[in-house]
Amino acid sequence: MYNYKALTDNELFSLIQSGDKYAFEEIYDRFNGLLYIYACKLVSDREDARDIVQEIFVYLWSNPNIKIKSQLSSYLYTAVRYKVFDWLDKNKSKSNYLLSLGNFIEQGNCITEDYIREREFASIIEKEVSLLPAKMRQIFEMSRQQHLSQKEIAEILHLSDKTVKKQMSNALKVLRLKLTSFISLAVILLLR
């Protein structure tokens, strides 16, 4: 049986690699408090600092093939520093995700409400267009949905350009009159 307190860190580390639990406990006792203080200087949350140090010890115990080129203490402090970098990286990603989620929640409702209003408005416009007189509706739809010019519409329907222009003008007047009240109501609702 060894006197573990009398052994050097590197001797204890060699014993840990062969599975000596008492050597691990001695290393844990020697470094746990110091590594925790070091982690607390790098991370603001004490629980996170404790978790980081625990992960280092778990890794040390569960990986018997670790190669240490200098002192065990240097290895442990460096491991804590790198673990803190990983922790900061994960928390940055988490806070970026939370910020993004917060923005979506904040703006998502507006986007959804805007989309619903837009769909309702489009539905009202379609309804009003369907109520136009047949020839006027046909000309309006050819212009707005098929994106045909007045000249093209006149040629297809065998009408004069002037007639097509007059029918479009009348359709827009009728729609503007009927939709003005809806737009006014929508603006009032938006300003609330």
Side-chain angles (χ1 to χ4, degrees), residues 141-159:
E141 287 175 344
M142 290 174 83
S143 171
R144 295 301 189 248
Q145 293 172 358
Q146 298 172 23
H147 308 291
L148 298 175
S149 69
Q150 289 179 359
K151 186 176 184 174
E152 292 169 323
I153 295 170
E155 287 175 12
I156 292 170
L157 298 178
H158 307 292
L159 299 169

Side-chain angles (χ1 to χ4, degrees), residues 24-25 27-40 43 45-63 66 75-76 79-81 83-84 87:
F24 177 77
E25 287 174 1
I27 289 293
Y28 183 86
D29 289 342
R30 286 184 190 181
F31 288 100
N32 182 45
L34 296 170
L35 294 175
Y36 173 70
I37 291 168
Y38 180 62
C40 283
V43 177
D45 187 279
R46 293 185 185 279
E47 283 303 311
D48 290 330
R50 190 176 321 283
D51 290 345
I52 288 167
V53 172
Q54 292 304 312
E55 285 182 42
I56 299 300
F57 282 114
V58 168
Y59 183 79
L60 185 68
W61 177 250
S62 59
N63 290 288
I66 298 172
Y75 171 82
L76 291 173
V80 167
R81 191 169 54 248
K83 198 53 120 168
V84 166
W87 178 87

Side-chain angles (χ1 to χ4, degrees), residues 75-94:
Y75 171 82
L76 291 173
Y77 281 101
T78 302
V80 167
R81 191 169 54 248
Y82 283 116
K83 198 53 120 168
V84 166
F85 291 150
D86 288 346
W87 178 87
L88 290 171
D89 226 19
K90 285 178 190 171
N91 277 346
K92 183 179 178 189
S93 298
K94 190 186 334 179

